[in-house]
Amino acid sequence: MRSVQRTSDDMSLIRDSSLVWLASGIVGVSFGAVSVAGGLPVWVPVLMSLVVYAGSAQFSAVGVLLAGGGPIAAAATGLLLNTRTAAFSLAVADIIGTGRASRLLGAHLVTDETVAFALAQSDPVRQRRAFWISGLGLFAVWNIGVLAGGLAGGALGDTARYGLDAAFPAVLVALVLPQLRTDAAVRRSALLGAVIALALTPAVPAGVPVLLALAGLFLHRRQPVEAAV
């Protein structure tokens, strides 16, 4: 009975993750196609996706390379945009597991989507399964999409012109809405982060406003644990 329940829960998590996977595949195809159309060999976006695995940071790094920047500048840009995952890693440290292999692989799978999906679950066991199911699926779909886009080259162009790039933020909003509805502290933090990001968008490079929006976390206050009677 327990195995049947677990299978049912896993199928539910797979179904819920599928929208994120679809969005990731679309963006991955765009990344591969744009990279190759800009003059990079296919192996560059493919290897970057396997080793770096950070969508926005990859787009930024490739943008620097295609604009004539060197590999050091490209790497520095990617690292700056990806520093936000340090905070995400702290949020899911207990969810990933305690083993060395789990920590190493889990750290590689930490993304905006996997963290949001895991934290949206109701209990620790389901959070852990949600993280691994969504994370492994997202990694596979992203890399398949990048390879497909790279092989297609410039034939596909930039999928963002079709508005498909809006799929990612739309799915993320759907994941965090339940927490925003039930936690006033989260709402305050999110509002401050949104204000910071919108105010700085015209003045700083793409991706940096999201990083600076983490300052909204300073408004978050955990409710004190009630003493046992």
Side-chain angles (χ1 to χ4, degrees), residues 8 11 22 40-41 56 78 86 88 90 94 97 100 110 116 123 127 129-130 132 134 149 153 168 180-181 215 222:
S8 176
M11 292 304 296
L22 176 61
L40 296 177
S56 60
F88 297 161
L90 293 175
D94 294 332
R100 182 174 298 179
V110 169
D123 63 84
Q127 285 179 340
R129 299 189 70 80
W132 286 105
S134 63
F168 247 8
L180 290 173
R181 289 171 177 165
R222 292 184 179 276

Side-chain angles (χ1 to χ4, degrees), residues 63-163:
V64 171
L65 290 174
L66 295 181
I72 294 179
T77 301
L79 285 173
L80 175 63
L81 295 181
N82 223 34
T83 51
R84 70 186 188 282
T85 58
F88 297 161
S89 298
L90 293 175
V92 296
D94 294 332
I95 295 175
I96 291 175
T98 57
R100 182 174 298 179
S102 296
R103 293 275 184 172
L104 183 62
L105 178 58
H108 194 55
L109 298 178
V110 169
T111 65
D112 309 55
E113 298 77 29
T114 55
V115 171
F117 189 64
L119 295 181
Q121 308 308 312
S122 57
D123 63 84
V125 174
R126 188 172 172 84
Q127 285 179 340
R128 179 168 298 180
R129 299 189 70 80
F131 175 85
W132 286 105
I133 288 174
S134 63
L136 291 171
L138 193 65
F139 181 79
V141 171
W142 170 260
N143 283 280
I144 291 172
V146 171
L147 176 60
L151 293 176
L156 294 176
D158 187 359
T159 57
R161 64 181 176 179
Y162 303 112

